[in-house]
């Protein structure tokens, strides 16, 4: 839904939104291609890991549901805006780039994000019930952290996929950059 929302907002606000998306996309693509493989991978992973850390922290809060959801929506929203931008500016070549270079890694990211959000939402709700005195259950923090560690491993796969595709495939689809 956030991907679609990002695309819709881009379409509605394309005159003011387009330059910002364009500048960010070109700067990012140029920056990544000028770095070593490990530096590029680290950049992708750090972006995803920062989202995971934020969600994990709010997951143990009794009032973390809104920040968890907002953080996840924010992360996914940009993917939709980028897809709309690429299609708008480059037509089917941009769509092909988006589907072949951007989406594969982002699918891993979406899956890891969903896993983490579900885990953090459950723990957040359990924390709230405990604090309200409506539950005598306890929170298994080891299991909580283990599930988020699994999400982190999936984020590694996402970052690796993004790095490989951007480094070795992207130039075949948008030589303009």
């Amino acid at each position: 839904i956030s991907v679609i929302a990002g695309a819709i907002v881009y379409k509605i606000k394309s005159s003011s939104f387009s330059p910002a998306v364009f500048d960010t996309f070109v700067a990012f693509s140029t920056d990544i291609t000028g770095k070593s493989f490990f530096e590029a991978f680290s950049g992708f992973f750090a972006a995803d890991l920062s989202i995971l850390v934020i969600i994990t922290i709010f997951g143990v809060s009794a009032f973390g549901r809104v920040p968890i959801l907002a953080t996840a929506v924010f992360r996914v929203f940009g993917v939709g805006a980028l897809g709309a931008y690429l299609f708008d500016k480059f037509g089917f070549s941009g769509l092909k780039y988006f589907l072949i270079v951007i989406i594969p890694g982002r699918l891993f990211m979406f899956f890891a994000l969903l896993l983490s959000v579900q885990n953090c939402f459950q723990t957040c709700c359990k924390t709230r019930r405990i604090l309200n005195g409506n539950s005598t259950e306890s929170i298994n923090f080891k299991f909580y952290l283990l599930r988020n560690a699994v999400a982190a491993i999936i984020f590694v796969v996402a970052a690796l996929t993004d790095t490989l595709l951007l480094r070795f495939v992207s130039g075949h689809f948008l030589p303009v950059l």
Side-chain angles (χ1 to χ4, degrees):
I1 294 174
S2 295
V3 172
I4 294 168
I8 290 170
V9 168
Y10 173 82
K11 256 335 210 187
I12 293 170
K13 300 269 189 192
S14 65
S15 61
S16 60
F17 204 48
S18 184
V21 174
F22 176 75
D23 291 344
T24 303
F25 178 67
V26 171
F28 176 75
S29 297
T30 305
D31 186 46
I32 289 295
T33 55
K35 292 185 175 187
S36 72
F37 186 86
F38 181 73
E39 289 172 324
F41 168 79
S42 297
F44 282 118
F45 183 62
D48 290 339
L49 185 63
S50 64
I51 297 299
L52 179 63
V53 168
I54 291 168
I55 289 173
T56 301
I57 290 169
F58 281 113
V60 293
S61 164
F63 303 101
R65 290 183 294 184
V66 172
I68 290 169
L69 186 59
T71 303
V73 166
F74 172 76
R75 182 69 177 125
V76 178
F77 181 84
V79 176
L82 177 61
Y85 162 76
L86 289 171
F87 182 67
D88 186 42
K89 295 300 178 198
F90 300 103
F92 285 107
S93 176
L95 182 62
K96 191 170 28 170
Y97 180 89
F98 182 69
L99 293 174
I100 294 172
V101 177
I102 304 293
I103 287 295
R106 297 301 79 200
L107 285 176
F108 285 112
M109 185 272 298
F110 293 151
F111 178 69
L113 196 58
L114 283 173
L115 181 70
S116 180
V117 165
Q118 177 196 21
N119 182 38
C120 294
F121 250 65
Q122 288 173 348
T123 305
C124 180
C125 291
K126 190 182 287 189
T127 301
R128 189 174 196 151
R129 286 191 305 270
I130 291 168
L131 291 176
N132 286 338
N134 299 335
S135 177
T136 58
E137 60 187 326
S138 63
I139 297 171
N140 185 344
F141 283 106
K142 195 183 291 186
F143 183 69
Y144 175 71
L145 294 175
L146 180 64
R147 286 187 68 169
N148 281 334
V150 169
I153 291 168
I154 299 170
F155 278 133
V156 167
V157 174
L160 188 59
T161 303
D162 285 335
T163 306
L164 288 169
L165 290 174
L166 192 64
R167 299 282 281 185
F168 301 114
V169 178
S170 67
H172 300 290
F173 295 100
L174 283 179
V176 177
L177 303 174

